[in-house]
């Protein structure tokens, strides 16, 4: 019997080539997420499914998919997966770590630089005719050099962000539960209150989990130095967005660079995304030609390994293979 493989968005052709020989491919080609009802229909007789972070794979979807062996997310974050439900059902789940680490760290620094030096608002002011002369007191931002960047979640991306700090003559402090990464590379690991009162710019790199949801809340903002910058290229729900609005309005947060939001997509009517001291980008952390190709190939390879009877490289629930 032919194996059915569902791919929920158009992805790089080099990735499709890898899985094409393994079965019948069904690709959702519209430039929007596959509607959940369509995914339910398509997955019913699928052996493998290559998903995006916009696809929710939960118990109710898995219950429809009696032949499913693997769901392969084309993302490193997998908060869109119910991993426990998949494990109960013997379905493998995989993600795409490593290949997007450098791209996401680069976007993080793009946001840090742009927010601290007012790049976007200066550009906007210029277009609006506000550049009347060079001014000794105009368009002043905050110098990066000599400041401290605080990293929350010192995993692959957090460490890649930390490595780049030296180039800007910045110190690094880390809020870490420990265990992640090479501890010898951690310059200063601080307890929460000291971390918040030391960092000039705080950058989030932890996964979205029950324990990290709304972790950045009013209590964090009251412990930060007034004038702290906040960068989020991880997941929107890590931040209590209402508390961030208040902190921006009170000047506790001098500026924020946000690539992710609690409910995506957002547009110019979203009060936080459109706040004058927020620089918003549409979840583009991994969005480079190089990385999106590599992510698609990695996700396809995970499917290929599962379907030829092996253990996928990025298996998230190894218990499934031990059954
Ligand atoms: P990773 O290597 O697993 O690093 C995440 C780190 O978060 C872990 O090493 C851990 O560090 C820390 N962590 C885990 N649980 C925590 C908790 N309960 N409290 C505090 N820290 C915790 O993952 P990664 O590859 O760096 O990716 C990180 C996240 O970035 C992904 O989960 C994804 O959501 C997001 N992301 C977003 C984009 C984008 O397009 N904007 C692109 C790629 C990834 P410690 O053990 O040191 O605490
Ligand atoms: C993107 O957000 C990812 O988790 O890969
Ligand atoms: C600025 O352009 C300077 O020369 O100081």
């Amino acid at each position: 019997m032919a194996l059915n493989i569902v791919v929920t968005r158009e992805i790089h052709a080099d990735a499709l080539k890898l899985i094409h020989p393994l079965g019948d491919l069904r690709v959702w080609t519209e430039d929007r997420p596959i509607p959940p009802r369509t995914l339910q229909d398509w997955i019913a007789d699928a052996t493998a499914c290559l998903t995006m972070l916009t696809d929710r794979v939960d118990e109710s979807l898995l219950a429809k998919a009696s032949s499913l062996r693997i769901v392969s997310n084309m993302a490193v974050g997998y908060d869109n997966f119910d991993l426990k439900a998949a494990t109960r059902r013997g379905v493998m789940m995989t993600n795409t770590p490593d290949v997007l680490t450098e791209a996401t760290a680069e976007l993080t620094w793009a946001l840090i630089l742009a927010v601290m030096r007012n790049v976007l608002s200066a550009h906007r002011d210029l277009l609006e005719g506000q550049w009347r002369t060079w001014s000794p007191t105009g368009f002043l931002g905050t110098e990066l050099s000599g400041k401290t960047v605080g990293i929350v979640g010192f995993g692959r991306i957090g460490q890649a962000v930390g490595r780049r700090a030296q180039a800007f003559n910045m110190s690094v402090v880390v809020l870490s539960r420990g265990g992640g990464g090479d501890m010898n590379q951690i310059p200063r690991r601080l307890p929460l209150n000291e971390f918040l009162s030391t960092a000039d710019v705080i950058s989030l790199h932890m996964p979205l989990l029950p324990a990290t949801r709304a972790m950045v809340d009013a209590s964090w903002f009251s412990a930060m130095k007034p004038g702290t910058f906040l960068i989020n290229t991880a997941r929107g729900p890590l931040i209590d967005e209402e508390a961030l609005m208040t902190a921006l309005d009170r000047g506790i947060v001098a500026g924020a660079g946000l690539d992710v939001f609690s409910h995506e997509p957002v547009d110019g009517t979203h009060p936080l995304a459109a706040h004058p001291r927020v620089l918003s980008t549409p979840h583009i952390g991994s969005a480079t030609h190089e990385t999106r190709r590599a992510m698609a190939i990695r996700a396809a390879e995970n499917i290929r390994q599962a379907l030829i009877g092996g253990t996928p490289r990025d298996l998230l629930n190894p218990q499934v293979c031990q059954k």
Side-chain angles (χ1 to χ4, degrees):
M1 205 181 72
L3 301 180
N4 294 314
I5 305 170
V6 167
V7 180
T8 67
R9 287 299 284 273
E10 189 94 62
I11 58 170
H12 199 284
D14 291 348
L16 291 177
K17 266 188 231 153
L18 275 175
I19 44 178
H20 196 256
L22 298 169
D24 290 336
L25 272 190
R26 199 164 187 191
V27 182
W28 176 260
T29 52
E30 288 185 35
D31 192 19
R32 63 181 174 118
I34 186 170
R37 293 297 290 271
T38 310
L39 182 54
Q40 276 188 17
D41 291 344
W42 285 21
I43 212 166
D45 62 355
T47 320
C49 187
L50 193 156
T51 54
M52 306 297 128
L53 56 85
T54 42
D55 304 316
R56 187 144 293 284
V57 184
D58 56 13
E59 169 62 30
S60 71
L61 182 71
L62 292 166
K64 304 266 186 304
S66 53
S67 332
L68 196 61
R69 280 195 235 152
I70 175 165
V71 186
S72 165
N73 217 27
M74 194 180 119
V76 69
Y78 52 91
D79 43 280
N80 56 316
F81 281 180
D82 184 337
L83 195 58
K84 283 198 183 121
T87 305
R88 273 197 306 273
R89 292 180 170 279
V91 175
M92 292 180 256
M93 288 187 142
T94 59
N95 66 341
T96 58
D98 308 321
V99 288
L100 42 55
T101 297
E102 305 302 321
T104 309
E106 288 173 2
L107 183 80
T108 302
W109 278 101
L111 293 178
I112 294 173
L113 284 159
V115 167
M116 291 182 75
R117 295 302 305 271
N118 300 326
V119 173
L120 258 281
S121 57
H123 171 75
R124 213 158 41 221
D125 287 349
L126 177 153
L127 296 185
E128 287 168 4
Q130 299 292 323
W131 183 21
R132 299 201 184 84
T133 176
W134 187 92
S135 157
T137 55
F139 306 113
L140 303 187
T142 300
E143 193 132 329
L144 279 73
S145 180
K147 301 292 183 339
T148 298
V149 57
I151 297 177
V152 188
F154 205 60
R156 291 170 291 246
I157 298 169
Q159 290 173 46
V161 168
R163 282 196 295 276
R164 286 156 170 81
Q166 202 183 3
F168 294 104
N169 193 34
M170 294 179 83
S171 314
V172 177
V173 293
V174 167
L175 177 73
S176 169
R177 302 163 314 143
D182 178 356
M183 285 299 143
N184 296 326
Q185 283 185 2
I186 298 184
R188 276 168 82 199
R189 193 146 64 87
L190 299 178
L192 181 61
N193 274 332
E194 209 183 321
F195 174 85
L196 294 176
S197 61
T198 302
D200 299 291
V201 47
I202 293 173
S203 191
L204 306 183
H205 301 287
M206 63 290 210
L208 177 60
L209 301 165
T212 58
R213 184 173 288 273
M215 186 169 157
V216 182
D217 63 5
S219 72
W220 277 48
F221 295 119
S222 54
M224 282 176 192
K225 291 199 277 200
T228 299
F229 294 89
L230 180 66
I231 307 295
N232 187 6
T233 60
R235 281 293 181 270
L238 297 171
I239 300 177
D240 175 339
E241 293 184 338
E242 255 180 58
L244 173 55
M245 280 294 281
T246 306
L248 280 160
D249 291 337
R250 292 191 179 153
I252 303 289
V253 173
L258 306 176
D259 186 46
V260 286
F261 295 85
S262 279
H263 300 283
E264 298 178 1
V266 297
D267 61 21
T269 64
H270 188 276
L272 182 58
H275 192 284
R277 280 184 287 111
V278 173
L279 172 53
S280 311
T281 50
H283 203 145
I284 57 170
S286 66
T288 66
H289 293 288
E290 297 86 346
T291 286
R292 286 290 165 81
R293 176 178 177 276
M295 289 166 70
I297 289 176
R298 186 87 168 228
E301 270 176 355
N302 282 321
I303 286 185
R304 198 181 63 80
Q305 285 154 358
L307 295 189
I308 63 173
T311 302
R313 175 175 182 180
D314 303 308
L315 186 60
L316 296 165
N317 51 352
Q319 310 92 303
V320 167
C321 290
Q322 286 153 13
K323 276 187 180 163

